[in-house]
Amino acid sequence: MNANNPVVTFAARNRWLADIMGWVAMLFRVAEHGIGPIVDLAIRLWLAQIFFVSGVVKIANWENALNLARFEYPVTWIDPVAAAYLGIATELIGAILLAVGLVTRFAALSMLLLALVIQFNYRALDAHLFWVLLFGWYVVRGAGPVSLDHLFSRGLVASALPLAAPIMGLLKNLTRYVGPAYQLSIRLWLLTIVWAFSVAASNILLPTHSAGVLQPAFGSIAIALIVLGLGTRVVAMTLLALMLATQMSDLRSSQDIYWIMLLAILALYGAGALSLDHFIDRSLRRIFPQLDGKPAFSLVGLPHVVIVGAGFGGLACANKLARTPVRITLIDRHNYHLFQPLLYQVATTALSPGDIATPVRGLFRDQFNTRVLFGNVTAIDSARQLVLMGEQSIPYDYLVLATGAAHSYFGKDEWTTFAPGLKRVEDATEVRRRLLTAFERAEAAEDPEDRKSLLTFLIVGGGPTGVELAGAIAELAHLGMEKEFRSFDPASARVILVQAGERLLPTFAPMLSARTQQSLEKLGVEVLVNSRVENIDAFGVQVSGKRIAARTVLWAAGVVASPAAKWLGVDSDNAGRVKVAADLCVPGLNNVFAIGDTAVCNAWHGQPVPGLAPAAKQGGRYVARLIRVRIAGKVSPGPFKYRHLGSLATIGRKAAVADFGFIKISGSLAWWLWGSIHLGFLVGVRNRISVMFDWFWAYLTFRGGARLITGSLERVSAQKPTPQHTHPEEVPA
């Protein structure tokens, strides 16, 4: 695509116009593909029930049916008895086929012919003309997606049935070539109706008796626009709304519903190919190819932006650069984006991993300038501007590091085996396995002390993850497993939360920390503050000089940044985070940026930016904006400033705390707020709906998801604790 092309230049300089038109086009597509199938089904069912009821009535009174065939609407070229049988069969069989959308075109054709016979040989009514119009629509276009025809179409084309493929091809061409002419005929028919009504003319081919319903809504300008096919959808939607507002409460006849159906068809499907709308649409798509799903600009020779990490920050940066003339390569060691704040619910069986993880490739299916790579970054050669993935090297012009963080055991990495944390899907499923295995082994345990240690769950760390995990485990034991075990009561499980500081949730207001502790204690959680973990092994934990026999220990105490600082050879803080400048670039490397948990930046009123999802997203959007203005040669947007949107943590099924600085909320209201915000942060409509349903079900039934134990059972020892693992000063229950 030539950058000197004036059409391309216009499109590049007026991307805002393309954005507006893109949104309008998207709304039309949503209406056609989302509402259209429902309207299509409703019209089919409406027509089907009319004919089906008529057929049933005639069967119930066969003599009356014969009299109608002989005297009311006789067909000279068919015997009356045969005509009666044929009419009833058409009404019953055709209605059923039309309703389910099976061989819809042929069913509609037979019913169309019957409607013509009724109109010309029996009684001329406006409704009959609309029947003909709507049946003709289905003959030309077929049934919509909610039909058996749509379900079977692909299989029929590829089947061994004789003539199946040619017939399907013929029907497809019928829609393609005859459809636009039929849509034009509808618009011209509408013009003729309005003209005939205005001069009080009557014609058997025009529904002028019911056309008065159009008078309050239609004007000469609206009719002209529809006939010309100019802004047809918008005009039809407007007129439909006006008609519904003025007529729905007082429909003068049942025939008014057909005018509503006609306007709905025009609003949903437009004027067709023989219209000014189609001509304008084709012209706009040539100027703005992105409207047609094509690349808006050539990627050849454009700056290359490499983003490492598909977390909140990486996705926000890539999305913000969607319409910027750059090439984007997004690298992640997983093929999915993970919503980490809800990992604890996967670990406690409330959700499945698929509810909070979304494949990255699917997110960028329609973003043509973004390439997704699955792999591990092993090093960065900043001198040659290369990202290294083993033996593969990827050059960059701009590099964005959004690699997140991992667990930090403060130099005690040997604890990793005994106290898993929650940062990955694998971590959540491992924690779930350990939790459920503990209950299962407690059922089989014969030694009371062994069972007691199996039913003791200790969480290290009193931040949001630790608080949420402790509350969820307590609820799982007290509410989710009653009557499922015979040797013990699951509610006897002991949940201990250990916090080294003087209070839980140290980043929250002290009042909320106190309420959090009270709520946890009401759930049966033992909270140990000012307590330090000194050792962890397979059978317990040493906490401030006291031994606690706990076979399940979970880590939520600290994190360490990815090795990004080591890759670049630059300064980092104690947590391994890259020390970045005010514009989030790495000092000495003004084309390399670090965001989210990868970086430390005092952009929160002089304080370090917290490791929260909103902070990562803000950083990603800021870097994208900075790259965009640098490419355009414009003035820098200034230093990055973090806008704190608040902190939230949930405590069980009906309590949470929310700290927005000037507003502090706790209890049920905070719980609803927490749920709403987390649903909004989830990526993908399917995930939002799935999580909302799971929460609703669990809330009403006290039952979570399937409690499946997966993985090797040998990874957690089933041995009883030996004397060397016990301590006489165990913390009392």
Side-chain angles (χ1 to χ4, degrees):
M1 195 174 294
N2 189 352
N4 296 321
N5 188 324
V7 172
V8 176
T9 303
F10 175 82
R13 293 179 178 177
N14 296 273
R15 284 194 298 272
W16 60 272
L17 181 59
D19 292 344
I20 294 174
M21 291 185 296
W23 279 105
V24 173
M26 184 192 70
L27 290 175
F28 287 153
R29 286 195 300 270
V30 169
E32 181 175 347
H33 299 292
I35 303 175
I38 300 174
V39 172
D40 172 87
L41 177 63
I43 294 175
R44 285 175 15 229
L45 292 176
W46 175 271
L47 295 172
Q49 60 89 21
I50 293 174
F51 280 73
F52 186 80
V53 170
S54 174
V56 171
V57 170
K58 289 175 181 176
I59 287 178
N61 193 339
W62 177 245
E63 289 300 324
N64 184 58
L66 286 177
N67 289 332
L68 288 174
R70 288 192 182 104
F71 307 112
E72 296 295 337
Y73 46 89
V75 181
T76 58
W77 44 274
I78 299 180
D79 178 75
V81 176
Y85 277 116
L86 182 60
I88 292 175
T90 300
E91 289 179 329
L92 293 178
I93 300 175
I96 294 173
L97 293 176
L98 183 70
V100 300
L102 182 62
V103 291
T104 309
R105 297 175 190 262
F106 301 102
L109 178 61
S110 64
M111 298 172 79
L112 183 153
L113 296 174
L114 181 59
L116 287 173
V117 171
I118 295 172
Q119 174 71 3
F120 289 101
N121 289 44
Y122 177 43
R123 181 181 300 173
L125 294 176
D126 289 2
H128 302 159
L129 295 174
F130 282 108
W131 292 352
V132 173
L133 172 75
L134 295 172
F135 287 138
W137 176 264
Y138 287 113
V139 170
V140 173
R141 294 180 60 96
V146 187
S147 65
L148 293 179
D149 284 343
H150 183 78
L151 180 65
F152 297 151
S153 60
R154 186 175 181 182
L156 284 173
V157 172
S159 71
L161 292 175
L163 300 180
I167 292 175
M168 295 298 293
L170 179 63
L171 296 178
K172 185 177 181 180
N173 287 331
L174 177 67
T175 301
R176 180 179 180 182
Y177 296 110
V178 181
Y182 193 80
Q183 288 174 283
L184 175 61
S185 67
I186 292 176
R187 288 153 39 212
L188 294 175
W189 187 63
L190 183 60
L191 173 64
T192 308
I193 294 170
V194 174
W195 172 83
F197 181 81
S198 65
V199 299
S202 179
N203 190 290
I204 196 172
L205 295 175
L206 300 174
T208 53
H209 295 88
S210 63
V213 71
L214 300 175
Q215 198 64 20
F218 274 84
S220 57
I221 297 178
I223 292 297
L225 291 174
I226 288 180
V227 173
L228 293 173
L230 182 60
T232 308
R233 293 175 188 260
V234 176
V235 173
M237 286 179 184
T238 304
L239 296 178
L240 180 61
L242 289 173
M243 180 178 290
L244 290 173
T246 57
Q247 299 295 331
M248 186 58 72
S249 60
D250 185 26
L251 291 176
R252 284 174 283 181
S253 73
S254 61
Q255 296 176 9
D256 293 349
I257 192 66
Y258 294 110
W259 291 105
I260 294 174
M261 292 180 185
L262 174 59
L263 287 176
I265 287 175
L266 290 172
L268 290 170
Y269 300 101
L274 301 178
S275 65
L276 290 178
D277 283 344
H278 183 72
F279 173 77
I280 294 172
D281 181 67
R282 290 185 62 182
S283 301
L284 289 175
R285 290 178 187 276
R286 283 195 297 267
I287 299 174
F288 301 101
Q290 60 265 47
L291 298 179
D292 205 23
K294 298 177 182 177
F297 44 80
S298 173
L299 300 179
V300 178
L302 292 181
H304 189 197
V305 179
V306 176
I307 302 173
V308 183
F312 291 107
L315 291 188
C317 185
N319 286 328
K320 197 70 175 179
L321 291 172
R323 291 178 295 276
T324 303
V326 295
R327 292 182 297 128
I328 303 171
T329 298
L330 179 61
I331 305 172
D332 198 280
R333 59 181 177 175
H334 301 293
N335 75 328
Y336 56 83
H337 165 76
L338 179 65
F339 188 71
Q340 287 186 349
L342 291 181
L343 266 178
Y344 81 95
Q345 293 208 4
V346 175
T348 54
T349 75
L351 298 174
S352 69
D355 292 332
I356 63 171
T358 304
V360 178
R361 292 193 182 279
L363 299 176
F364 294 96
R365 181 184 294 111
D366 299 322
Q367 189 166 319
F368 73 95
N369 67 337
T370 300
R371 176 193 183 199
V372 177
L373 287 183
F374 171 62
N376 275 318
V377 173
T378 54
I380 294 174
D381 187 341
S382 57
R384 294 190 297 164
Q385 296 191 173
L386 296 174
V387 174
L388 304 180
M389 296 172 56
E391 297 182 355
Q392 183 181 6
S393 60
I394 302 169
Y396 65 85
D397 296 299
Y398 296 93
L399 175 62
V400 182
L401 298 173
T403 47
H407 310 300
S408 173
Y409 291 86
F410 309 110
K412 301 288 186 177
D413 292 340
E414 64 272 16
W415 295 351
T416 305
T417 304
F418 311 118
L422 274 178
K423 282 295 179 183
R424 307 171 302 159
V425 169
E426 295 84 353
D427 297 333
T429 55
E430 171 64 12
V431 170
R432 181 183 64 188
R433 187 186 65 78
R434 294 193 183 206
L435 290 175
L436 298 179
T437 301
F439 283 102
E440 295 296 338
R441 286 180 171 162
E443 174 76 358
E446 298 178 355
D447 185 348
E449 291 300 318
D450 188 23
R451 176 179 293 142
K452 183 178 179 180
S453 66
L454 284 167
L455 294 176
T456 300
F457 305 94
L458 188 145
I459 299 98
V460 182
T465 300
V467 167
E468 292 170 344
L469 196 54
I473 294 174
E475 285 198 337
L476 177 66
H478 288 81
L479 302 175
M481 294 184 173
E482 72 275 14
K483 299 181 180 179
E484 293 189 5
F485 295 93
R486 300 294 178 263
S487 300
F488 69 96
D489 180 6
S492 64
R494 185 182 178 192
V495 182
I496 304 171
L497 179 60
V498 178
Q499 167 69 343
E502 61 182 10
R503 61 186 178 93
L504 302 177
L505 302 177
T507 59
F508 287 65
M511 174 190 67
L512 296 179
S513 296
R515 291 181 181 176
T516 298
Q517 183 168 340
Q518 293 171 3
S519 298
L520 285 174
E521 289 173 345
K522 285 183 180 179
L523 290 174
V525 178
E526 301 174 38
V527 180
L528 305 179
V529 295
N530 293 316
S531 302
R532 291 190 174 275
V533 173
E534 298 167 345
N535 188 45
I536 303 175
D537 55 44
F539 299 102
V541 183
Q542 191 85 5
V543 180
S544 297
K546 297 182 179 180
R547 176 76 180 180
I548 300 178
R551 301 284 286 280
T552 304
V553 182
L554 307 177
W555 188 264
V559 295
V560 62
S562 68
K566 295 181 181 178
W567 293 341
L568 297 170
V570 296
D571 291 339
S572 62
D573 67 354
N574 293 332
R577 297 178 296 180
V578 178
K579 295 181 179 179
V580 296
D583 60 357
L584 301 184
C585 76
V586 178
L589 302 170
N590 63 0
N591 64 338
V592 179
F593 305 88
I595 59 177
D597 291 335
T598 310
V600 57
C601 178
N602 297 327
W604 184 17
H605 305 297
Q607 299 296 318
V609 175
L612 302 174
K617 295 180 74 171
Q618 290 179 34
R621 287 192 290 263
Y622 171 84
V623 168
R625 187 165 63 251
L626 186 60
I627 292 174
R628 193 163 57 240
V629 299
R630 286 189 182 182
I631 291 174
K634 297 181 180 179
V635 179
S636 172
F640 171 65
K641 293 181 180 179
Y642 168 65
R643 298 182 304 279
H644 188 58
L645 303 178
S647 301
L648 301 103
T650 183
I651 314 155
R653 57 183 276 108
K654 60 180 180 180
V657 290
D659 189 347
F660 299 104
F662 59 96
I663 297 178
K664 298 172 177 59
I665 308 172
S666 62
S668 299
L669 178 60
W671 185 85
W672 284 103
L673 184 63
W674 174 90
S676 301
I677 291 176
H678 279 66
L679 281 176
F681 267 95
L682 277 169
V683 176
V685 176
R686 189 204 69 83
N687 284 3
R688 295 189 184 110
I689 295 175
S690 176
V691 170
M692 184 168 58
F693 177 80
D694 287 343
W695 283 350
F696 181 75
W697 178 261
Y699 192 84
L700 295 181
T701 65
F702 292 93
R703 294 288 185 270
R707 294 193 290 271
L708 304 179
I709 299 176
T710 58
S712 173
L713 298 181
E714 298 177 358
R715 293 177 63 183
V716 176
S717 174
Q719 298 176 7
K720 296 181 181 180
T722 59
Q724 65 181 2
H725 293 113
T726 60
H727 196 285
E729 298 178 357
E730 180 178 344
V731 176

